[in-house]
Amino acid sequence: MTFKDLHYQTAPLLLCNVWDVASAQLAEQLGFKAIGTSSAAIAASQGFVDGEQMPFDSLYSIVKQIRQHSTLPLTVDIESGYSREAKQIAENIKRLSDAGVVGINIEDSVVTQQRSLLNADAFSATISHVKQQLSQQKIDVFINVRSDVFLLNTQDAIEQAKQRIALYTAAGANGIFLPCLEKAEDIQAICEFSELPINVMCMPHLADFTQLQAWGVKRISMGNFLFENMQQHLKTQLNRITLQQSFASLF
């Protein structure tokens, strides 16, 4: 079954978001069907803030290590593509594809002083040009386009999402990712509207996976919440060691 096929099953694809070889191998041991990098988790683990602050070469090196030590299908979060130019974005994706990556996440917002949405028409044109260049080189990767209208709490988020979904679908996207899409009525409206698989992300009030399936969700990811939870657990354990002056809490 191809990575694309995993988005068209009855049950949603539960994607394990990873940030290094160890987390990827653990996901494989536990029977996950696919893994995806979290840009925020990888950036934090390397001492960077999210928002394309970590050099692409550094991301590529980590991705290559993960791919070499896991047989699971791997999709990579490339933020906004590490360029605003379609030619460079396509080249970045080609490098990842050559390393064995089968999918990418690309988002329609950028971080300067703060995160802001890119122009929808311009971004869809970029996606279209990227798809054309990849097709010319016979590179077939699953392009999951992330729209940040809910993450940025934009006015009329549902209508904005629908407009962008239509544009990105026409541009050749394979899937749509809407982080912070959380309310039941919003999820149902988006799933009913989109002809492409909808990806939702871990959120505090997100419904369970059975309910998400009933609403039509096809992919569920974890973002950087798993990494943050692990870091908090590590902080708690280290604090116990220093307070108790003992390693007993580890056992």
Side-chain angles (χ1 to χ4, degrees):
M1 183 177 292
T2 68
F3 183 63
K4 184 176 182 179
D5 290 338
L6 293 173
H7 294 76
Y8 289 92
Q9 302 177 103
T10 302
L13 168 64
L14 178 59
L15 191 73
C16 186
N17 283 111
V18 302
W19 51 90
D20 61 9
V21 170
S23 56
Q25 290 182 324
L26 188 56
E28 188 159 1
Q29 292 169 19
L30 292 173
F32 281 86
K33 301 299 182 184
I35 52 177
T37 62
S38 161
S39 66
I42 287 181
S45 72
Q46 300 299 308
F48 295 94
V49 295
D50 200 22
E52 298 184 341
Q53 297 301 303
M54 186 173 74
F56 183 80
D57 284 347
S58 298
L59 172 64
Y60 174 78
S61 177
I62 293 168
V63 167
K64 194 170 182 180
Q65 290 175 1
I66 291 172
R67 187 64 190 89
Q68 288 173 343
H69 291 89
S70 172
T71 63
L72 292 178
L74 171 62
T75 182
V76 172
D77 182 351
I78 62 169
E79 304 196 59
S80 302
Y82 275 82
S83 176
R84 308 290 79 82
E85 301 297 326
K87 183 177 180 180
Q88 184 59 56
I89 295 172
E91 178 58 33
N92 291 341
I93 295 173
K94 180 181 184 300
R95 286 184 67 190
L96 294 171
S97 176
D98 289 345
V101 170
V102 297
I104 60 99
N105 256 20
I106 185 166
E107 58 205 42
D108 65 0
S109 70
V110 292
V111 179
T112 49
Q113 291 184 339
Q114 60 183 12
R115 185 176 291 277
S116 59
L117 288 168
L118 293 166
N119 176 273
D121 291 313
F123 185 70
S124 61
T126 298
I127 294 298
S128 180
H129 292 148
V130 167
K131 286 283 292 188
Q132 291 171 14
Q133 292 182 47
L134 294 176
S135 178
Q136 289 170 4
Q137 299 179 72
K138 295 182 170 53
I139 297 170
D140 184 20
V141 296
F142 189 98
I143 296 184
N144 201 41
V145 179
R146 169 181 139 177
S147 181
D148 285 344
V149 293
F150 286 94
L151 184 149
L152 293 171
N153 196 28
T154 58
Q155 191 172 17
D156 300 323
I158 284 286
E159 291 309 311
Q160 284 209 41
K162 288 180 178 180
Q163 291 171 11
R164 287 174 180 261
I165 288 170
L167 286 170
Y168 303 160
T169 300
N174 300 110
I176 299 293
F177 176 28
L178 293 163
C180 301
L181 178 63
E182 185 176 24
K183 295 179 181 177
E185 60 270 27
D186 292 346
I187 294 172
Q188 292 177 77
I190 292 297
C191 288
E192 288 172 4
F193 174 82
S194 178
E195 62 186 68
L196 295 179
I198 292 296
N199 179 179
V200 300
M201 183 182 74
C202 167
M203 290 293 290
H205 304 294
L206 190 68
D208 65 30
F209 302 159
T210 300
Q211 188 61 69
L212 293 175
Q213 176 181 329
W215 293 335
V217 170
K218 290 298 183 181
R219 173 162 150 176
I220 305 167
S221 52
M222 303 172 183
N224 66 325
F225 290 101
L226 188 67
F227 174 80
E228 289 183 351
N229 181 276
M230 184 197 71
Q231 290 293 101
Q232 185 58 49
H233 180 70
L234 176 60
K235 180 180 179 180
T236 299
Q237 287 290 66
L238 290 173
N239 192 45
R240 285 174 180 165
I241 290 169
T242 56
L243 289 175
Q244 297 173 2
Q245 291 294 288
S246 165
F247 291 120
S249 61
L250 294 180
F251 302 98

